[in-house]
Amino acid sequence: MLSNKIRVCQQPLLLRTIMSSSVARGPVGEAIERKLTSTFSPVHLEVRNESHMHNVPAGSETHFKVIVVSEKFKDARTPIARHRLVNATLKEEVAADGPVHALSIVALIPEKWQEKIDKGESVGPSPNCRGGDGSLPPKNK
């Protein structure tokens, strides 16, 4: 899969990056990126559309993974507190009648992200779909 990657060096230790997993960005992925950027001013942001890994029609924007690294998470001491901040930011997208069916969140402070980088760790893709609950339209083959 092609990737679209923008890098702007603004900090000595970390790269300020905004990444997306595909060149063909849809309106949902763009809205997620815009809202997370505006709210958290991240030093690293990835918005991954993982819909292709699930039983949904081609081109869907229903399953996302976001990786957000921001100083604004310093006061949110637990992962669930950081997840709540991200979910609040994306409340329209993740609402029961919103376009996002599943959202995987990795939300870290810059120091924790740097520790992962120093250890050579990365955030891999979510696991493939195991069938779901049947609530989404069938995949086009």
Side-chain angles (χ1 to χ4, degrees), residues 37-72:
T37 299
S38 174
T39 302
F40 298 109
S41 302
V43 297
H44 181 88
L45 172 63
E46 291 181 50
V47 176
R48 298 179 185 175
N49 182 351
E50 296 183 329
S51 301
H52 65 280
M53 299 164 53
H54 299 273
N55 188 25
V56 296
S60 292
E61 288 190 282
T62 54
H63 296 70
F64 286 90
K65 174 176 275 188
V66 296
I67 303 166
V68 189
V69 181
S70 174
E71 292 285 343
K72 294 192 178 182

Side-chain angles (χ1 to χ4, degrees), residues 13-50:
L13 192 56
L14 296 169
L15 288 178
R16 178 172 173 76
T17 61
I18 297 178
M19 303 172 68
S20 66
S21 62
S22 70
V23 173
R25 295 298 303 274
V28 178
E30 288 176 358
I32 291 170
E33 184 175 308
R34 184 178 62 253
K35 288 180 178 186
L36 293 176
T37 299
S38 174
T39 302
F40 298 109
S41 302
V43 297
H44 181 88
L45 172 63
E46 291 181 50
V47 176
R48 298 179 185 175
N49 182 351
E50 296 183 329

Side-chain angles (χ1 to χ4, degrees), residues 7 13-15 17 43-44 46 69 108-123:
R7 287 189 176 199
L13 192 56
L14 296 169
L15 288 178
T17 61
V43 297
H44 181 88
E46 291 181 50
V69 181
L108 300 169
I109 61 172
E111 293 81 6
K112 292 294 182 185
W113 181 247
Q114 189 62 48
E115 286 175 18
K116 286 181 83 59
I117 291 170
D118 292 345
K119 292 178 184 175
E121 296 175 359
S122 64
V123 177

Side-chain angles (χ1 to χ4, degrees), residues 35 87-100:
K35 288 180 178 186
N87 278 312
T89 300
L90 302 176
K91 63 185 173 202
E92 289 88 12
E93 289 75 14
V94 299
D97 61 346
V100 176

